[in-house]
Each structure stands twice: as structure tokens, then as C-alpha cells.
Amino acid sequence: MEFQELIRRRYSVREYRPDPVSEEALGRILEAGRLAPTAANRQPFRVVVLETKGRGEALGRVYHRAWFPQAPVVICVAGVPEEAWVRKDGRSHMDVDAAIVMDHMILAATDEGLGTCWIANFDMDAAREVFELRAGEVPLLLTPLGHAADRPAPRQRRGLESLVRRVR
Ligand SMILES: Cc1cc2nc3c(=O)[nH]c(=O)nc-3n(C[C@H](O)[C@H](O)[C@H](O)COP(=O)(O)O)c2cc1C
């Protein structure tokens, strides 16, 4: 897909069909995340791919929306604070790195014709348990991955003039 079209094609999918995601597509999506840039190339993240079948109750404790466990797969991007690059003023870039990894995977999923939705508003403790995170890993971002059953709403975005300033 042409890049500008890809950017326009992605939207937050909040209704999914149960059809499976092929292993080949999943592999390409995970590879896009692996190739994402991270600060100082520290790669302070882990990706957990969870099959939703039979986990409706558990996923409901993570994020209580009927559409959340509808997709066959949910992906969790976890951060590893100990591995993250920290600027000299103390600012860790773990969250920035995790967001880039997730964005690469979400755009790759769009390129595969698959739907996703960024989710940050989840229960941390339930996410640690359900995604079987290990010591030193922090759940940061989730997305379902599957075939969309809804349609995008009209896009609401501010105009460039209120978002961008140029210093010449
Ligand atoms: C970091 C981040 C966290 C988000 N968390 C949630 C969430 O917890 N639940 C949800 O339904 N949407 C969530 N969203 C989706 C946004 O609401 C959505 O991207 C925004 O409204 C623009 O709509 P669009 O994705 O369809 O273009 C999140 C998006 C981002 C980037």
C-alpha cells in the first residue's frame, strides 16, 4: 500500500470479526516492531502475542469493553525500565520507544488489511497477570489484532496551523 494511503487507512477498530490472523501476516507485523528505532538502540521492550480464545473473562479484567476480546489476537508491548536509555536530566525514553514499536506494528497490520486499536486505559495488575509478564517488565500498550467489522468515523483532527509552528 502506498504510504500516504496507509496512514489514511488506519483507524481505531472497535468491532472485530473472529476470523483468524495468518501466521505469515503476524510474522511481518512482529518484524516491523523488531525493526523499530529505539533511543540509543537499547530495545527496552518485549512483545507478548496472546490468543483470545477462551480468555474473554480474563481480558475483561484487563480492559472491560465487549469488543476487546473479539479479535483472535491481542498484542501487548511491555517496557523494560532497566534497559531504557535515560537522558542526563533523568527522562527515561522507554515510553517513547514502546510507542514507536507499537506504531510500526499497527501500520504493518494496516498494510496487511488488519484492524487494530491503541489501548492504554487498561488495568496494570490484570495485564501483568494475563499477559504473563516477567519481573522487570511493565505493560505499556495493547492492541487487538484482527479483521475489522466496523467502519471508520470521520476523522477529527486539528488543522496544521494550530499544531505546527515554523521558526525561520
Ligand atoms: C497512546 C494511545 C492510547 C489510547 N488508548 C485508548 C484506549 O485505552 N481505549 C480506546 O478505545 N482508544 C484508545 N486510543 C485510541 C484513540 O482514542 C484514537 O486513536 C483517537 O481517538 C483517534 O482516532 P483514530 O485512531 O480512529 O484515528 C488510544 C490512542 C493512543 C495513541
Side-chain angles (χ1 to χ4, degrees):
M1 201 184 296
E2 195 267 323
F3 187 70
Q4 291 295 333
E5 186 197 342
L6 179 71
I7 294 291
R8 284 167 177 73
R9 186 77 63 94
R10 186 215 57 83
Y11 70 99
S12 290
V13 173
R14 296 192 177 93
E15 206 181 324
Y16 294 86
R17 290 191 271 120
D19 314 39
V21 170
S22 78
E23 278 301 315
E24 293 73 24
L26 179 61
R28 287 187 288 269
I29 292 163
L30 296 173
E31 182 67 359
R34 187 179 77 87
L35 295 178
T38 55
N41 203 22
R42 293 286 186 87
Q43 301 162 68
F45 69 91
R46 303 292 182 271
V47 176
V48 179
V49 179
L50 183 89
E51 296 184 15
T52 59
K53 198 164 181 223
R55 294 197 165 96
E57 180 276 329
L59 286 166
R61 287 189 286 111
V62 175
Y63 184 63
H64 194 64
R65 299 290 185 283
W67 50 268
F68 181 51
Q70 280 176 353
V73 169
V74 173
I75 294 177
C76 171
V77 175
V80 183
E82 284 295 309
E83 296 180 1
W85 180 73
V86 179
R87 200 165 53 196
K88 64 178 184 232
D89 62 5
R91 168 69 153 89
S92 168
H93 282 59
M94 178 179 76
D95 290 20
V96 173
D97 291 339
I100 296 168
V101 170
M102 184 59 108
D103 206 43
H104 271 50
M105 292 196 293
I106 278 182
L107 292 176
T110 308
D111 193 44
E112 298 288 342
L114 295 168
T116 55
C117 184
W118 289 78
I119 296 171
N121 185 23
F122 57 83
D123 184 283
M124 289 281 288
D125 292 336
R128 281 181 210 277
E129 176 209 322
V130 173
F131 291 92
E132 300 184 5
L133 296 192
R134 300 179 182 167
E137 298 174 354
V138 183
L140 297 174
L141 295 162
L142 308 176
T143 181
L145 177 68
H147 298 266
D150 63 2
R151 300 233 165 252
R155 214 180 277 274
Q156 307 286 341
R157 293 292 192 269
R158 295 191 204 170
L160 267 189
E161 68 291 345
S162 73
L163 296 168
V164 178
R165 282 192 304 271
R166 300 182 65 157
V167 178
R168 294 181 197 266

